[in-house]
Amino acid sequence: MRTPSIRGLLALLPPLLLAACSTGPSLEQRGQVTAPPGDSRRLTIGSAGFTESDLLAQMYALLLKQAGHDTELITVANRELYEPALESGRIDVVPEYAATLADWLNAKAHGPDAPPAGSPDLAATMSALRRLAAPRGLTVLDPGRAVDQNAFAVSAAYAREHRLKTLSDLGASGLKVRLAAGDECVSRPYCEPGLRTTYGIRITGIDPKGVGTTPAKQAVRSGRDQMVLTTTTDATLDAFGLVVLADDKHLQNADYVVPVVNRARAGGPGVTRVLDRLNKVLTTADLASMNRQVDSWRRLPADVARAYLKDKGLLK
């Protein structure tokens, strides 16, 4: 079986950039919001560009291809770009995280000061997420067993020196912290604003190296930065001499993995049935294991995804 093709970088796709400038479906596509759910033969699956998103997108593409769809993968590393593209139908399916997307859509609809829509309660989070997604022509499929929450890690040596075990410890220490993360961390409530208000951590700046990337972790290991935004399924922290500080005040919410689809193109029972099969099997530990194979063992996401699906009996 051939690996699903990967289109080039976003810069090579002017139509997608244009779509991303809108706040919802274009005028000629507004009817898609109330159109019946679709099962289009040709589907574009989006990845947010980090290892886990790549793995999930690869698994979605392989399963949908086996079910008879022509699948294509595209990497768009910023939700501010790929979510409007999902609304407009330029992208049909993306792996997402329930609470994070709920808060993002809520801020988009009601402003940055709107009360959070995501919470540690999965049922409440899913209800809010679906309520926010529906008017934009998006369908949120059921969450599975896998959950990937944001986590913040420091070097083990730094933690020992300052006796840090929790984020509260870091806030109480008064230490100045340069944080390696995505550039969107500046405004996301679970990131810099939450670290400041919930924990009192003195963030002096964001080093825009991405979420849990190798350069971000190297920056913390070297001492250039003091902390990195990563995830609870990051299996490479030990290799960089990093440890997670416990989120003892529960800043992070119910970030279960959920497929989100363009309703008119991929909201029908066929796509739902295919992706539900994966959701029933995939666990948090599975994600951590696959992340390790890519990030530590340097295997290709497509190969790891294919091997996992075959091992679980989901791919012939």
Side-chain angles (χ1 to χ4, degrees), residues 223-238:
R224 170 185 171 86
D225 300 330
Q226 286 71 52
M227 188 161 67
V228 59
L229 169 61
T230 183
T231 66
T232 54
T233 58
D234 187 335
T236 68
L237 294 178
D238 286 347

Side-chain angles (χ1 to χ4, degrees), residues 7 16 29 32 38-47 57 60-61 64 69-74 76 82-96 136-141 258-268 271-272 275:
R7 277 190 277 175
L16 183 56
Q29 294 167 322
Q32 292 184 5
D39 273 316
S40 300
R41 183 173 180 273
R42 184 174 182 81
L43 296 173
T44 299
I45 293 89
S47 165
Y60 291 0
L64 289 167
H69 297 274
D70 290 334
T71 60
E72 189 170 21
L73 282 172
I74 180 172
V76 185
Y82 71 69
E83 188 278 330
L86 183 63
E87 291 184 25
S88 69
R90 306 278 181 155
I91 297 174
D92 303 307
V93 184
V94 295
E96 262 290 1
R136 297 183 175 277
L138 306 180
T139 296
V140 182
L141 306 189
V258 289
V260 182
V261 304
N262 178 285
R263 173 185 167 89
R265 291 185 49 78
V271 172
T272 299
L275 298 184

Side-chain angles (χ1 to χ4, degrees), residues 293-306:
Q293 292 177 58
V294 175
D295 293 334
S296 294
W297 303 355
R298 314 312 298 169
R299 295 185 63 193
L300 294 175
D303 294 339
V304 174
R306 189 190 309 278

Side-chain angles (χ1 to χ4, degrees), residues 152-178 199-202 220 225-228 241-248:
F152 295 92
V154 299
S155 74
Y158 184 83
R160 286 194 301 270
E161 179 184 357
H162 300 289
R163 299 182 180 180
L164 306 176
K165 292 184 178 180
T166 68
L167 291 172
S168 288
D169 291 340
L170 181 57
S173 73
L175 293 165
K176 294 181 179 179
V177 175
R178 179 174 162 91
Y199 288 107
I201 296 173
R202 299 176 64 188
V220 175
D225 300 330
Q226 286 71 52
M227 188 161 67
V228 59
L242 306 181
V243 294
V244 170
L245 296 182
D247 179 21
D248 53 309

